[in-house]
Amino acid sequence: MRIGELSERTGTPRRLLRYYEEQGLIVADRAPNGYRDYDESNVDRVMQIRGLLDAGLPTRIIKQILPCLDKPRVIHFADATPEMLATLTHERDRITDRISCLIRNRDAIGEYLEAVSVNRRPEAVPTGS
Amino acid sequence: MRIGELSERTGTPRRLLRYYEEQGLIVADRAPNGYRDYDESNVDRVMQIRGLLDAGLPTRIIKQILPCLDKPRVIHFADATPEMLATLTHERDRITDRISCLIRNRDAIGEYLEAVSVNRRPEAVPTGS
DNA sequence: GTTGACCCTCACATAGATGTGAAGGTTCGA
DNA sequence: TCGAACCTTCACATCTATGTGAGGGTCAAC
């Protein structure tokens, strides 16, 4: 598929698809006329990328994570240098931190919304404190 | 406490503490000489802010979330306009999306690391596919 | 064979979070 | 009273992900 279709199917501006390619996050074949030619797997990959970017990861890190997401993984074990494994471990832990932070805050928002929906103007809310 | 101490205790450059204030995320009293004067609660608040920024939320959104985090909440119910509640609901859902994305990817990294630790150079990995 | 809808590269612009430093006031201890 | 270590504001710089558009090629349909 060409860039327009990928753009539509992923809701991503063409500009960014080219940018992700420049950053080494996706690869595209080229048709004889120079047009980029994407295969089906790029749809999922682009969604992954967007999700991770939105979650605050920079392209530099995403690039290192992406090989983990391909199944079967066999081919990619060549990348598994000790430094790479250390990086991955570290990033995994940082992601875990992010997750707990987000869960905490989401739950706080949830509780707030709950409290508001129960009583638009409460004098006191049982917070346990 | 003054900005230097808050900076040290939160691991945040002074520059950013001033920036967060400018964005309306924190407030500081002023000593007679003009120095910012923070109270204890700002330590936690700054950590919240940094966590959320790191998780990809812009200061504009963080500003709207912060009131949810204060307990007791009683005072803040004044902010609970319908638009605000809609925004919060929406942001909560977006955060939930981010969380699932991060969990998916973290687990994928985990599986990758696991696979590597079991066998540095496997011919085939049981992926279920 | 021209038009319209694609595609290409290149390049400059923007926005948000952050780095850095200048120019200057305050406070405190030697 | 001087210097060190704070603090202030202001302003320009940087990086990353994006927006936008110019200048130009390709191709299918009419």
Side-chain angles (χ1 to χ4, degrees):
Chain A
M1 94 192 71
R2 286 177 308 181
I3 201 171
E5 185 179 344
L6 185 59
S7 168
E8 262 192 25
R9 290 179 61 186
T10 59
T12 306
R14 289 144 226 248
R15 170 74 175 85
L16 289 186
L17 294 175
R18 300 195 185 101
Y19 174 68
Y20 299 155
E21 179 176 340
E22 187 183 303
Q23 300 303 308
L25 303 184
I26 51 181
V27 268
D29 283 350
R30 293 297 180 131
N33 59 11
Y35 288 11
R36 267 163 264 255
D37 183 25
Y38 298 96
D39 69 28
E40 206 57 26
S41 69
N42 282 303
V43 177
D44 284 345
R45 168 148 302 211
V46 169
M47 308 276 250
Q48 289 281 355
I49 293 170
R50 302 223 94 203
L52 290 170
L53 277 173
D54 183 58
L57 283 81
T59 53
R60 199 187 80 252
I61 302 298
I62 296 177
K63 188 176 175 180
Q64 309 197 279
I65 289 175
L66 283 176
C68 302
L69 307 179
D70 289 329
K71 304 202 176 188
R73 300 207 194 82
V74 191
I75 328 151
H76 302 290
F77 276 82
D79 306 333
T81 68
E83 311 82 52
M84 176 57 98
L85 296 181
T87 303
L88 281 178
T89 303
H90 180 243
E91 288 306 323
R92 185 200 52 189
D93 294 346
R94 271 181 53 86
I95 291 175
T96 295
D97 292 344
R98 265 184 261 247
I99 291 170
S100 8
C101 173
L102 287 176
I103 288 180
R104 263 199 320 278
N105 284 283
R106 182 199 52 185
D107 291 351
I109 297 174
E111 285 167 30
Y112 181 93
L113 289 171
E114 170 96 2
V116 174
S117 82
V118 164
N119 185 344
R120 302 304 313 270
R121 194 145 232 109
E123 304 312 310
V125 179
T127 63
S129 64
Chain B
M1 96 191 70
R2 286 177 308 181
I3 202 171
E5 186 180 343
L6 184 59
S7 168
E8 262 192 24
R9 290 179 59 186
T10 60
T12 307
R14 290 144 228 250
R15 170 73 176 86
L16 289 185
L17 295 174
R18 300 195 183 101
Y19 174 68
Y20 299 155
E21 179 177 340
E22 187 183 303
Q23 301 303 307
L25 304 183
I26 52 180
V27 266
D29 284 350
R30 291 298 180 130
N33 59 11
Y35 288 10
R36 268 164 262 255
D37 183 25
Y38 299 95
D39 69 27
E40 207 57 26
S41 68
N42 282 302
V43 177
D44 284 346
R45 167 147 305 209
V46 169
M47 308 277 250
Q48 289 280 356
I49 294 169
R50 303 223 95 204
L52 290 170
L53 277 173
D54 183 57
L57 283 82
T59 54
R60 201 187 79 253
I61 301 299
I62 295 177
K63 189 176 173 180
Q64 309 198 280
I65 290 175
L66 284 175
C68 302
L69 306 180
D70 289 329
K71 304 203 175 185
R73 301 206 193 83
V74 190
I75 327 153
H76 302 290
F77 276 84
D79 306 333
T81 68
E83 311 82 51
M84 175 57 98
L85 296 182
T87 303
L88 281 178
T89 304
H90 180 243
E91 287 306 323
R92 184 200 52 188
D93 294 346
R94 271 182 53 87
I95 291 175
T96 296
D97 292 344
R98 266 184 260 247
I99 291 170
S100 6
C101 173
L102 287 176
I103 288 179
R104 261 199 320 279
N105 283 284
R106 182 200 51 185
D107 291 351
I109 298 174
E111 284 168 31
Y112 181 94
L113 289 171
E114 171 95 4
V116 174
S117 84
V118 164
N119 185 346
R120 302 305 311 270
R121 193 146 232 108
E123 305 311 310
V125 179
T127 63
S129 64

